[in-house]
Each structure stands twice: as C-alpha cells, then as structure tokens.
Amino acid sequence: MKVIIMAGGKGTRIASVKSDVPKPMIPIAGKPILEWLIECLKGQGLTDITLVIGYLGHIIKEFFGDGSKFGVHIDYFVEENPLGTAGALFKMNLQEDFLLLCGDVILDVDYHRFIEFHRANKAWASLMAHPNGHPYDSSLLVTEIIPPHVSGGLPVDTHRVVKWMNKEDERLYYRNRVNAGIEIISPELLQETMKNFVPRHPETPDKIDLDRDVLKTNISSGRIFAYDTPEYIKDMGTPDRYYEVEKDILSGKVKARNLSQKQKAIFLDRDGVINKHIGFLRKSEEFELIPGVTEAIKAINMSGYLAIVVTNQPVIARGECTWEELQRIHDKMETELGKEGTFLDAIYVCPHHKDKGFEGERPEYKFDCDCRKPKPGLLLKAAQDFNIDLSQSIMIGDSESDIQAGQNAGCKESILIETNKDNALFEAVNNLLGMS
C-alpha cells in the first residue's frame, strides 16, 4: 500500500525546541521525527512513500533523497502554496487506497491490522482512534451501535462513524475515542467529495481541510469507519509532549505498544475499585469516582501496561438498567478520568446472571455464561483482542470472584483491595509498579 506523509508543518508551538527546521525534522532521541516514522513503515514492508513538503522542504529532501539509504522509495509532492491538510491529495492522481500519516507524530503501530480492518469493511476511509489523556480538547468519534433486540444478544459496535465531535462542540459525557489523525483513504472518497465540494475560502479554492471538507461531509455515506487501538500515538505539539515522547522512545515503551508485540495489562474491577460501590449502580447520576483512582490509572498509563476494566453487570439481566444507561455510566467514567489526564484502554462487560425470579428480568441474559467472573471469559476476550500475555498481567479487584477470575485466566498476580477505600487502588498500583 502506498504511504503519503504530510510533512510541511512549521511547528510554531514547538519552536522553542528547534526552529530552524520543518517540524517533521525536529530531532528526537537522536533522529528526526520523520525518520522514526519511515523506519517503522519499512519494518512492516511499507516502502512506497510520498512526502508532501512545503515550509523548508528542501531540508527534508536533502536529508532523505530518494529514500534508498533508508531502505525505501521516496518521491515528493511540493506545495508551492499551502493546500491545507488534504489539498495535495486531490492533485496527485491517486488510483488505489493509501495510508495517510502526519509527519509530526511519533507512533509505532501494527499497520497490517489496520489495513485488514479497512479492507474487511470496504471502507472509503478508516480512521485510527485511541484513548488519550486530553479528550476534552480532541476530536472524538462516535460509532453506530446495533442494539441487542436487533443483534439478538449483546450490543454490537459496527465501528461505522455516525458522528464527529469537535473540541468546541457541546459535550456532557462521552467515550474517550479520539481521532488520531492517521487514515487509510480510498480514491472513491476523494471523487465523491469533489462532486459537491464548495470551498470554504473562495480566495483559496485549492485549500482543502481533510476533517471538515472530506471526512465529516461523507459520514452519511456509511463508509467511514473507526479503528480502535491502544498503541502508541502522540504528536509533538508542545515542548512538554516532545520531552515526554523522547522519554518513552528511550525507555522502549513506544515500540513495546505495537500490537504485533505481546502486551501486558492491569485488569480492574469497576464497582468498589474505580467507583463507589452502592449495591447495584443503575444510573449515571449515581456514579462517583473513589479518591486516588485517577492517580492510579495515570500511573498504569505511564507504565506501559494496558488499563482494562472487566466488570460483571447483572443489572442488565435483572432488568434494572438498560444498555443505553450502562453506556452513559461508562461514558461518565471515561469523561471524568479524561478531565484528570488519564484513560482506560478498554471496558469489558458481562451482563449475565443465572439466578431467576426477579421482576422485570430479561430471560435472554439468564444463563450460566463463560464471561461472568470468577470465570475468565472477559480477560480471555481482552487477551485475544489486544495480544495480551496473561502470564505477565495483573488482576486487581475487591472480591474473591475477581481474584479467582485472574487466577483462572492465568494472570501473574491477583490483588485484593478493600471496597470503596480511598487511595486503595493507588496504593496497590504504586506497590506493584514499584516492584516491577
């Protein structure tokens, strides 16, 4: 697959680090940002690369040449005038699907998984999405959920994008699903865009914004999809982020998060561990984080472990909470964590409960399943989805069923903490990471 890298940025906000080169050429851990990107692509056999250059582009061209000394083939598209984040794409006569990257982002991802997802969905565009520590100032993607009465079982996320939330849009609670700015795009999308394209700035008709003019305007087609990943993706937008990324490169964290590598996770129960246990939590208004939880999950995020919630929610089987309200509860949890600069990589739910006789119960969920803790089904599903080595992973919970679930899944360790205790999770995580 052809790769196009947008490498014309000035890097105004990061000028204090280095201002005499284009942003993609700022050195980090001994190499330009762009060289890190190209090395990752080459390692996965993606060697046909076009660099879109503009500001100080000659520096990029002189450094990389035709790409042969880096084991790839590079050609160039030169923007004589700025064309926005997508204008160049409409002038390149692209005939096949292509991978589009930003030249100022450090990432190490399994591109082949991403390509397979794109092809399986026959997408016009597949957008890489991930949770991050600042969703409140990021663009968020909302996808189509097929409800249980249609799917015949659990809600099914089709990954089809149905809404795009800009950072300036009004929000209450939301899933931490940030548009990462990495796409696979079909020429069909470009062709469809031009059928009805009206320049937002008539004086510069060739200047086209990828998000607003191309992707958002085609959501109604049903051919735009979100690809979720916990892999390492971070831009160099500010000096603080630059130094954080440099530290992560040197520690090996960036490469280790590629899903082609075995991952390790800290699995967390929800009620009594993350939020206050009040019996059966049925409404988002009742959700309250336990003190110390945000600090604990932030430490997990920084450690290289995935932070994954695995929770029994029999309120669904008992008919005391709808799937929609459960999603609002989890959106509130992700929103409140995001406000404190931390995030969960995934949430897995068991809605089943085999005991019968409750008024309003839902018979379709009343059976002895494989996912209700102490059975290990939720952990096993997460391990399959994220290539997790359970023998290097940890389960933290506040009940014996949590501990048994971790043991049954083959976790390295299962840690029992006191229900609803302030800072209990933080102390457990701090002790754990201090030992590892």
Side-chain angles (χ1 to χ4, degrees):
M1 179 174 281
K2 186 172 189 60
V3 183
I4 298 174
I5 304 178
M6 307 302 286
K10 288 186 178 182
T12 305
R13 291 184 300 164
I14 199 172
S16 63
V17 174
K18 192 168 180 63
S19 60
D20 58 345
V21 297
K23 190 176 180 183
M25 290 301 292
I26 293 176
I28 185 166
K31 299 176 189 175
I33 297 167
L34 195 50
E35 187 175 352
W36 287 105
L37 272 178
I38 289 172
E39 282 187 355
C40 183
L41 290 165
K42 179 198 174 244
Q44 298 183 50
L46 296 167
T47 59
D48 181 10
I49 300 170
T50 295
L51 299 181
V52 178
I53 57 176
Y55 175 74
L56 297 180
H58 65 281
I59 295 176
I60 295 175
K61 205 167 185 178
E62 289 168 3
F63 186 88
F64 288 101
D66 64 2
S68 56
K69 68 179 180 179
F70 298 93
V72 298
H73 171 74
I74 297 177
D75 55 27
Y76 297 87
F77 181 93
V78 181
E79 290 188 345
E80 301 297 340
N81 298 298
L83 297 175
T85 52
L89 304 178
F90 292 85
K91 296 180 177 293
M92 296 173 69
N93 193 30
L94 296 160
Q95 301 297 315
E96 297 180 352
D97 293 6
F98 57 92
L99 174 64
L100 180 64
L101 305 178
C102 295
D104 57 358
V105 174
I106 286 291
L107 70 157
D108 198 319
V109 302
D110 187 340
Y111 289 114
H112 295 295
R113 277 192 179 216
F114 189 29
I115 293 169
E116 287 172 11
F117 171 90
H118 175 78
R119 289 174 174 165
N121 286 295
K122 297 180 172 60
W124 278 356
S126 295
L127 317 182
M128 197 168 281
H130 66 137
N132 73 17
H134 51 98
Y136 48 83
D137 69 356
S138 303
S139 294
L140 303 177
L141 302 175
V142 180
T143 58
E144 173 191 51
I145 304 295
I146 298 177
H149 70 272
V150 176
S151 68
L154 304 179
V156 175
D157 187 346
T158 68
H159 295 273
R160 182 176 283 108
V161 177
V162 294
K163 185 177 181 181
W164 186 301
M165 297 171 61
N166 290 322
K167 60 184 178 181
E168 64 269 18
D169 292 340
E170 184 177 352
R171 308 172 181 179
L172 180 58
Y173 303 134
Y174 47 82
R175 181 175 174 183
N176 189 338
R177 191 184 225 166
V178 174
N179 175 34
I182 300 153
E183 300 88 10
I184 299 176
I185 293 176
S186 164
E188 286 183 81
L189 176 65
L190 305 182
Q191 294 160 12
E192 194 66 24
T193 299
M194 292 313 294
K195 289 180 181 179
N196 300 301
F197 177 67
V198 177
R200 287 183 296 114
H201 305 288
E203 68 279 9
T204 54
D206 292 337
K207 193 171 185 178
I208 303 175
D209 184 87
L210 180 66
D211 292 355
R212 291 174 172 81
D213 297 330
V214 182
L215 297 173
K216 287 183 69 175
T217 58
N218 283 287
I219 285 175
S220 61
S221 70
R223 308 268 313 260
I224 312 293
F225 289 82
Y227 170 81
D228 296 309
T229 179
E231 293 168 297
Y232 195 99
I233 306 167
K234 193 164 290 190
D235 67 57
M236 308 296 117
T238 65
D240 286 347
R241 289 182 196 170
Y242 170 89
Y243 292 116
E244 181 182 351
V245 170
E246 185 168 56
K247 179 181 176 182
D248 290 341
I249 290 174
L250 294 172
S251 71
K253 179 180 174 181
V254 175
K255 184 171 289 295
R257 291 299 288 269
N258 186 304
L259 286 181
S260 66
Q261 310 288 325
K262 278 293 184 182
Q263 303 298 303
K264 55 185 181 179
I266 294 180
F267 296 101
L268 304 170
D269 180 43
R270 196 194 79 181
D271 300 313
V273 174
I274 291 177
N275 59 279
K276 290 189 177 180
H277 182 56
I278 60 168
F280 291 111
L281 177 60
R282 303 175 179 89
K283 297 180 180 179
S284 57
E285 293 84 354
E286 300 170 335
F287 181 91
E288 183 180 353
L289 287 174
I290 298 170
V293 162
T294 55
E295 294 85 353
I297 297 177
K298 187 178 293 186
I300 297 173
N301 296 153
M302 295 176 65
S303 72
Y305 282 89
L306 300 177
I308 297 177
V309 168
V310 287
T311 176
N312 293 345
Q313 289 301 318
V315 287
I316 297 292
R318 290 162 61 101
E320 297 174 350
C321 181
T322 65
W323 280 108
E324 292 77 12
E325 186 59 32
L326 181 62
Q327 187 59 55
R328 276 192 289 272
I329 290 169
H330 288 159
D331 288 349
K332 182 177 181 180
M333 175 167 63
E334 293 204 65
T335 301
E336 294 196 353
L337 290 172
K339 288 177 180 177
E340 299 299 325
T342 188
F343 57 88
L344 299 167
D345 291 291
I347 302 170
Y348 289 84
V349 173
C350 169
H352 307 109
H353 194 274
K354 66 180 180 178
D355 296 342
K356 301 179 181 179
F358 298 93
E359 183 179 353
E361 68 185 19
R362 304 176 68 175
E364 65 269 33
Y365 300 116
K366 288 289 184 174
F367 62 90
D368 189 11
C369 65
D370 294 325
C371 54
R372 181 174 171 80
K373 295 177 292 184
K375 293 184 179 179
L378 297 180
L379 289 81
L380 297 178
K381 181 65 168 65
Q384 179 183 22
D385 290 346
F386 295 124
N387 195 21
I388 295 170
D389 182 352
L390 290 167
S391 70
Q392 296 300 311
S393 299
I394 313 294
M395 176 73 215
I396 301 179
D398 66 333
S399 72
E400 190 57 37
S401 68
D402 296 324
I403 303 309
Q404 290 176 13
Q407 294 170 347
N408 292 336
C411 286
K412 177 181 179 181
E413 188 174 358
S414 294
I415 300 172
L416 182 67
I417 65 174
E418 186 177 334
T419 302
N420 288 351
K421 182 182 177 183
D422 291 2
N423 297 307
L425 181 60
F426 176 73
E427 291 169 4
V429 169
N430 191 47
N431 290 337
L432 173 70
L433 298 179
M435 292 166 50
S436 59

